[in-house]
PDB file of all heavy atoms in Angstrom:
ATOM      1  N   ASN A   1      19.538 -19.390   3.461  1.00 89.00           N
ATOM      2  CA  ASN A   1      18.838 -20.649   3.727  1.00 89.00           C
ATOM      3  C   ASN A   1      17.665 -20.470   4.690  1.00 89.00           C
ATOM      4  O   ASN A   1      17.133 -21.461   5.240  1.00 89.00           O
ATOM      5  CB  ASN A   1      19.786 -21.720   4.284  1.00 89.00           C
ATOM      6  CG  ASN A   1      20.869 -22.097   3.292  1.00 89.00           C
ATOM      7  OD1 ASN A   1      20.592 -22.243   2.089  1.00 89.00           O
ATOM      8  ND2 ASN A   1      22.096 -22.234   3.773  1.00 89.00           N
ATOM      9  N   ASP A   2      17.233 -19.245   4.911  1.00 93.00           N
ATOM     10  CA  ASP A   2      16.077 -18.980   5.796  1.00 93.00           C
ATOM     11  C   ASP A   2      14.987 -18.346   4.941  1.00 93.00           C
ATOM     12  O   ASP A   2      15.133 -17.239   4.430  1.00 93.00           O
ATOM     13  CB  ASP A   2      16.474 -18.034   6.929  1.00 93.00           C
ATOM     14  CG  ASP A   2      15.339 -17.838   7.924  1.00 93.00           C
ATOM     15  OD1 ASP A   2      14.259 -18.434   7.749  1.00 93.00           O
ATOM     16  OD2 ASP A   2      15.534 -17.074   8.901  1.00 93.00           O
ATOM     17  N   SER A   3      13.860 -19.056   4.806  1.00 96.00           N
ATOM     18  CA  SER A   3      12.762 -18.544   3.964  1.00 96.00           C
ATOM     19  C   SER A   3      11.534 -18.112   4.781  1.00 96.00           C
ATOM     20  O   SER A   3      10.542 -17.707   4.200  1.00 96.00           O
ATOM     21  CB  SER A   3      12.340 -19.613   2.955  1.00 96.00           C
ATOM     22  OG  SER A   3      11.906 -20.782   3.631  1.00 96.00           O
ATOM     23  N   ILE A   4      11.615 -18.251   6.122  1.00 97.00           N
ATOM     24  CA  ILE A   4      10.460 -17.905   6.974  1.00 97.00           C
ATOM     25  C   ILE A   4      10.569 -16.471   7.424  1.00 97.00           C
ATOM     26  O   ILE A   4      11.553 -16.100   8.107  1.00 97.00           O
ATOM     27  CB  ILE A   4      10.360 -18.856   8.157  1.00 97.00           C
ATOM     28  CG1 ILE A   4      10.148 -20.298   7.677  1.00 97.00           C
ATOM     29  CG2 ILE A   4       9.214 -18.442   9.060  1.00 97.00           C
ATOM     30  CD1 ILE A   4      10.128 -21.329   8.775  1.00 97.00           C
ATOM     31  N   TYR A   5       9.576 -15.663   7.096  1.00 97.00           N
ATOM     32  CA  TYR A   5       9.532 -14.284   7.541  1.00 97.00           C
ATOM     33  C   TYR A   5       8.757 -14.282   8.862  1.00 97.00           C
ATOM     34  O   TYR A   5       7.541 -14.165   8.878  1.00 97.00           O
ATOM     35  CB  TYR A   5       8.847 -13.421   6.474  1.00 97.00           C
ATOM     36  CG  TYR A   5       9.738 -13.165   5.279  1.00 97.00           C
ATOM     37  CD1 TYR A   5      10.191 -14.193   4.450  1.00 97.00           C
ATOM     38  CD2 TYR A   5      10.139 -11.864   4.951  1.00 97.00           C
ATOM     39  CE1 TYR A   5      11.029 -13.975   3.375  1.00 97.00           C
ATOM     40  CE2 TYR A   5      10.971 -11.618   3.859  1.00 97.00           C
ATOM     41  CZ  TYR A   5      11.384 -12.686   3.087  1.00 97.00           C
ATOM     42  OH  TYR A   5      12.233 -12.446   1.998  1.00 97.00           O
ATOM     43  N   ASN A   6       9.504 -14.419   9.964  1.00 97.00           N
ATOM     44  CA  ASN A   6       8.901 -14.664  11.262  1.00 97.00           C
ATOM     45  C   ASN A   6       8.076 -13.487  11.786  1.00 97.00           C
ATOM     46  O   ASN A   6       7.143 -13.701  12.570  1.00 97.00           O
ATOM     47  CB  ASN A   6       9.981 -15.006  12.301  1.00 97.00           C
ATOM     48  CG  ASN A   6      10.779 -16.227  11.888  1.00 97.00           C
ATOM     49  OD1 ASN A   6      11.646 -16.134  11.028  1.00 97.00           O
ATOM     50  ND2 ASN A   6      10.505 -17.378  12.479  1.00 97.00           N
ATOM     51  N   GLY A   7       8.414 -12.254  11.416  1.00 97.00           N
ATOM     52  CA  GLY A   7       7.650 -11.108  11.884  1.00 97.00           C
ATOM     53  C   GLY A   7       7.640 -10.963  13.382  1.00 97.00           C
ATOM     54  O   GLY A   7       6.615 -10.682  13.982  1.00 97.00           O
ATOM     55  N   ALA A   8       8.814 -11.130  13.992  1.00 98.00           N
ATOM     56  CA  ALA A   8       8.870 -11.014  15.463  1.00 98.00           C
ATOM     57  C   ALA A   8       8.511  -9.573  15.913  1.00 98.00           C
ATOM     58  O   ALA A   8       7.713  -9.406  16.819  1.00 98.00           O
ATOM     59  CB  ALA A   8      10.267 -11.367  15.954  1.00 98.00           C
ATOM     60  N   ASN A   9       9.115  -8.604  15.286  1.00 98.00           N
ATOM     61  CA  ASN A   9       8.793  -7.227  15.593  1.00 98.00           C
ATOM     62  C   ASN A   9       7.478  -6.797  14.940  1.00 98.00           C
ATOM     63  O   ASN A   9       6.673  -6.078  15.517  1.00 98.00           O
ATOM     64  CB  ASN A   9       9.932  -6.313  15.168  1.00 98.00           C
ATOM     65  CG  ASN A   9       9.855  -4.935  15.807  1.00 98.00           C
ATOM     66  OD1 ASN A   9       9.274  -4.766  16.893  1.00 98.00           O
ATOM     67  ND2 ASN A   9      10.448  -3.951  15.182  1.00 98.00           N
ATOM     68  N   ASP A  10       7.254  -7.287  13.716  1.00 96.00           N
ATOM     69  CA  ASP A  10       6.105  -6.866  12.890  1.00 96.00           C
ATOM     70  C   ASP A  10       5.181  -8.084  12.643  1.00 96.00           C
ATOM     71  O   ASP A  10       5.329  -8.768  11.663  1.00 96.00           O
ATOM     72  CB  ASP A  10       6.650  -6.331  11.553  1.00 96.00           C
ATOM     73  CG  ASP A  10       5.564  -5.775  10.660  1.00 96.00           C
ATOM     74  OD1 ASP A  10       4.446  -5.547  11.147  1.00 96.00           O
ATOM     75  OD2 ASP A  10       5.842  -5.578   9.486  1.00 96.00           O
ATOM     76  N   ASP A  11       4.177  -8.322  13.453  1.00 95.00           N
ATOM     77  CA  ASP A  11       3.867  -7.574  14.669  1.00 95.00           C
ATOM     78  C   ASP A  11       3.573  -8.545  15.809  1.00 95.00           C
ATOM     79  O   ASP A  11       2.611  -8.372  16.533  1.00 95.00           O
ATOM     80  CB  ASP A  11       2.669  -6.647  14.399  1.00 95.00           C
ATOM     81  CG  ASP A  11       2.413  -5.666  15.503  1.00 95.00           C
ATOM     82  OD1 ASP A  11       3.370  -5.336  16.253  1.00 95.00           O
ATOM     83  OD2 ASP A  11       1.272  -5.217  15.693  1.00 95.00           O
ATOM     84  N   ALA A  12       4.444  -9.601  15.884  1.00 98.00           N
ATOM     85  CA  ALA A  12       4.327 -10.477  17.042  1.00 98.00           C
ATOM     86  C   ALA A  12       4.553  -9.671  18.315  1.00 98.00           C
ATOM     87  O   ALA A  12       3.978 -10.001  19.367  1.00 98.00           O
ATOM     88  CB  ALA A  12       5.286 -11.609  16.945  1.00 98.00           C
ATOM     89  N   SER A  13       5.371  -8.628  18.237  1.00 98.00           N
ATOM     90  CA  SER A  13       5.619  -7.789  19.407  1.00 98.00           C
ATOM     91  C   SER A  13       4.344  -7.090  19.891  1.00 98.00           C
ATOM     92  O   SER A  13       4.030  -7.092  21.088  1.00 98.00           O
ATOM     93  CB  SER A  13       6.713  -6.773  19.148  1.00 98.00           C
ATOM     94  OG  SER A  13       6.297  -5.808  18.178  1.00 98.00           O
ATOM     95  N   GLY A  14       3.593  -6.542  18.957  1.00 98.00           N
ATOM     96  CA  GLY A  14       2.322  -5.887  19.317  1.00 98.00           C
ATOM     97  C   GLY A  14       1.299  -6.858  19.853  1.00 98.00           C
ATOM     98  O   GLY A  14       0.576  -6.580  20.799  1.00 98.00           O
ATOM     99  N   THR A  15       1.203  -8.037  19.171  1.00 98.00           N
ATOM    100  CA  THR A  15       0.262  -9.046  19.624  1.00 98.00           C
ATOM    101  C   THR A  15       0.612  -9.554  21.001  1.00 98.00           C
ATOM    102  O   THR A  15      -0.270  -9.801  21.846  1.00 98.00           O
ATOM    103  CB  THR A  15       0.245 -10.227  18.622  1.00 98.00           C
ATOM    104  OG1 THR A  15      -0.016  -9.728  17.301  1.00 98.00           O
ATOM    105  CG2 THR A  15      -0.804 -11.250  18.963  1.00 98.00           C
ATOM    106  N   THR A  16       1.907  -9.717  21.284  1.00 98.00           N
ATOM    107  CA  THR A  16       2.373 -10.083  22.621  1.00 98.00           C
ATOM    108  C   THR A  16       1.904  -9.053  23.645  1.00 98.00           C
ATOM    109  O   THR A  16       1.463  -9.385  24.749  1.00 98.00           O
ATOM    110  CB  THR A  16       3.904 -10.198  22.633  1.00 98.00           C
ATOM    111  OG1 THR A  16       4.287 -11.269  21.771  1.00 98.00           O
ATOM    112  CG2 THR A  16       4.416 -10.469  24.047  1.00 98.00           C
ATOM    113  N   ALA A  17       1.992  -7.784  23.276  1.00 98.00           N
ATOM    114  CA  ALA A  17       1.567  -6.703  24.183  1.00 98.00           C
ATOM    115  C   ALA A  17       0.081  -6.818  24.478  1.00 98.00           C
ATOM    116  O   ALA A  17      -0.359  -6.647  25.615  1.00 98.00           O
ATOM    117  CB  ALA A  17       1.895  -5.356  23.577  1.00 98.00           C
ATOM    118  N   VAL A  18      -0.728  -7.072  23.438  1.00 98.00           N
ATOM    119  CA  VAL A  18      -2.181  -7.186  23.623  1.00 98.00           C
ATOM    120  C   VAL A  18      -2.514  -8.343  24.574  1.00 98.00           C
ATOM    121  O   VAL A  18      -3.359  -8.189  25.472  1.00 98.00           O
ATOM    122  CB  VAL A  18      -2.888  -7.371  22.260  1.00 98.00           C
ATOM    123  CG1 VAL A  18      -4.362  -7.745  22.468  1.00 98.00           C
ATOM    124  CG2 VAL A  18      -2.779  -6.112  21.443  1.00 98.00           C
ATOM    125  N   ILE A  19      -1.848  -9.472  24.410  1.00 98.00           N
ATOM    126  CA  ILE A  19      -2.089 -10.613  25.301  1.00 98.00           C
ATOM    127  C   ILE A  19      -1.653 -10.280  26.732  1.00 98.00           C
ATOM    128  O   ILE A  19      -2.379 -10.567  27.696  1.00 98.00           O
ATOM    129  CB  ILE A  19      -1.289 -11.850  24.796  1.00 98.00           C
ATOM    130  CG1 ILE A  19      -1.913 -12.334  23.480  1.00 98.00           C
ATOM    131  CG2 ILE A  19      -1.306 -12.956  25.822  1.00 98.00           C
ATOM    132  CD1 ILE A  19      -1.118 -13.426  22.779  1.00 98.00           C
ATOM    133  N   ALA A  20      -0.503  -9.608  26.891  1.00 98.00           N
ATOM    134  CA  ALA A  20      -0.041  -9.242  28.236  1.00 98.00           C
ATOM    135  C   ALA A  20      -1.016  -8.251  28.898  1.00 98.00           C
ATOM    136  O   ALA A  20      -1.302  -8.372  30.088  1.00 98.00           O
ATOM    137  CB  ALA A  20       1.345  -8.627  28.151  1.00 98.00           C
ATOM    138  N   LEU A  21      -1.532  -7.329  28.118  1.00 98.00           N
ATOM    139  CA  LEU A  21      -2.440  -6.316  28.654  1.00 98.00           C
ATOM    140  C   LEU A  21      -3.795  -6.965  28.999  1.00 98.00           C
ATOM    141  O   LEU A  21      -4.426  -6.570  29.988  1.00 98.00           O
ATOM    142  CB  LEU A  21      -2.647  -5.186  27.662  1.00 98.00           C
ATOM    143  CG  LEU A  21      -1.433  -4.266  27.460  1.00 98.00           C
ATOM    144  CD1 LEU A  21      -1.562  -3.453  26.182  1.00 98.00           C
ATOM    145  CD2 LEU A  21      -1.221  -3.383  28.679  1.00 98.00           C
ATOM    146  N   ALA A  22      -4.208  -7.929  28.217  1.00 98.00           N
ATOM    147  CA  ALA A  22      -5.445  -8.643  28.509  1.00 98.00           C
ATOM    148  C   ALA A  22      -5.341  -9.357  29.860  1.00 98.00           C
ATOM    149  O   ALA A  22      -6.237  -9.304  30.703  1.00 98.00           O
ATOM    150  CB  ALA A  22      -5.767  -9.663  27.417  1.00 98.00           C
ATOM    151  N   LYS A  23      -4.217 -10.004  30.089  1.00 97.00           N
ATOM    152  CA  LYS A  23      -3.996 -10.711  31.358  1.00 97.00           C
ATOM    153  C   LYS A  23      -3.933  -9.707  32.517  1.00 97.00           C
ATOM    154  O   LYS A  23      -4.487  -9.937  33.592  1.00 97.00           O
ATOM    155  CB  LYS A  23      -2.712 -11.522  31.303  1.00 97.00           C
ATOM    156  CG  LYS A  23      -2.774 -12.702  30.315  1.00 97.00           C
ATOM    157  CD  LYS A  23      -1.431 -13.422  30.257  1.00 97.00           C
ATOM    158  CE  LYS A  23      -1.467 -14.597  29.290  1.00 97.00           C
ATOM    159  NZ  LYS A  23      -0.169 -15.287  29.186  1.00 97.00           N
ATOM    160  N   TYR A  24      -3.266  -8.585  32.292  1.00 97.00           N
ATOM    161  CA  TYR A  24      -3.106  -7.582  33.308  1.00 97.00           C
ATOM    162  C   TYR A  24      -4.460  -7.004  33.734  1.00 97.00           C
ATOM    163  O   TYR A  24      -4.777  -6.964  34.947  1.00 97.00           O
ATOM    164  CB  TYR A  24      -2.205  -6.457  32.784  1.00 97.00           C
ATOM    165  CG  TYR A  24      -2.219  -5.195  33.626  1.00 97.00           C
ATOM    166  CD1 TYR A  24      -1.541  -5.129  34.833  1.00 97.00           C
ATOM    167  CD2 TYR A  24      -2.933  -4.082  33.209  1.00 97.00           C
ATOM    168  CE1 TYR A  24      -1.542  -3.979  35.605  1.00 97.00           C
ATOM    169  CE2 TYR A  24      -2.953  -2.931  33.974  1.00 97.00           C
ATOM    170  CZ  TYR A  24      -2.254  -2.879  35.184  1.00 97.00           C
ATOM    171  OH  TYR A  24      -2.289  -1.753  35.933  1.00 97.00           O
TER     172      TYR A  24
END
């Protein structure tokens, strides 16, 4: 019953890193 491919690891994780590094 789950049809959303959230892509948490692929690649929300990488995008999160880019945002964190930008702030840093």
